[in-house]
Amino acid sequence: QVQLVESGGGLVQAGGSLRLSCAASTRTFSGYSIGWFRQAPRKEREFVALITQSGAGTDYADSVKGRFTISRDNAKNTAYLQMNSLKPEDTALYTCAASKTIFSKTESEYDYRGQGTQVTVSS
């Protein structure tokens, strides 16, 4: 069982930045691909970004491309989501998910997921 704990969310003005962290409880963190997802009130959960086990491969939703950067530090068992130029429409609960076997934009295909951290962007 892998536990994922997100942190770094908060309230920020439009145009500001936040860095989210996803800390994993496993020593085999380097064996998991990591995805970030978000869900705004009354909306479907949506894919944000993902990163391969080594960190060599990444992918982003079109809505965040050029503004968000996903990264990981396998020595610290932690993945990150750097969010710049934030917009009010980025307001959502952000969750991370981990999988040993897939590289997917669908959260339900991941093996483990955290509880999330709230990001609120004011206009």
Side-chain angles (χ1 to χ4, degrees):
Q1 186 75 8
V2 176
Q3 289 188 324
L4 301 173
V5 179
E6 301 93 339
S7 62
L11 174 64
V12 64
Q13 287 189 329
S17 298
L18 285 173
R19 188 176 82 153
L20 306 185
S21 297
C22 171
S25 64
T26 176
R27 292 181 181 181
T28 60
F29 179 71
S30 62
Y32 291 85
S33 63
I34 299 294
W36 281 98
F37 299 85
R38 67 186 183 185
Q39 187 168 19
R42 299 175 299 280
K43 290 190 176 181
E44 297 281 325
R45 192 181 304 274
E46 64 174 349
F47 163 75
V48 176
L50 58 81
I51 189 166
T52 57
Q53 287 86 336
S54 68
T58 59
D59 199 3
Y60 297 91
D62 288 342
S63 59
V64 307
K65 205 169 289 185
R67 299 188 298 123
F68 291 12
T69 303
I70 189 171
S71 62
R72 65 190 299 158
D73 185 338
N74 287 340
K76 295 183 178 180
N77 298 334
T78 302
Y80 304 97
L81 186 68
Q82 177 67 43
M83 307 187 297
N84 298 328
S85 302
L86 283 161
K87 304 175 181 180
E89 50 263 46
D90 294 318
T91 295
L93 181 70
Y94 284 72
T95 58
C96 64
S99 174
K100 271 195 169 183
T101 58
I102 56 95
F103 189 68
S104 172
K105 297 180 181 181
T106 304
E107 190 188 35
S108 60
E109 296 181 355
Y110 283 74
D111 302 311
Y112 306 102
R113 58 195 57 79
Q115 294 297 309
T117 185
Q118 179 67 36
V119 171
T120 303
V121 184
S122 63
S123 56

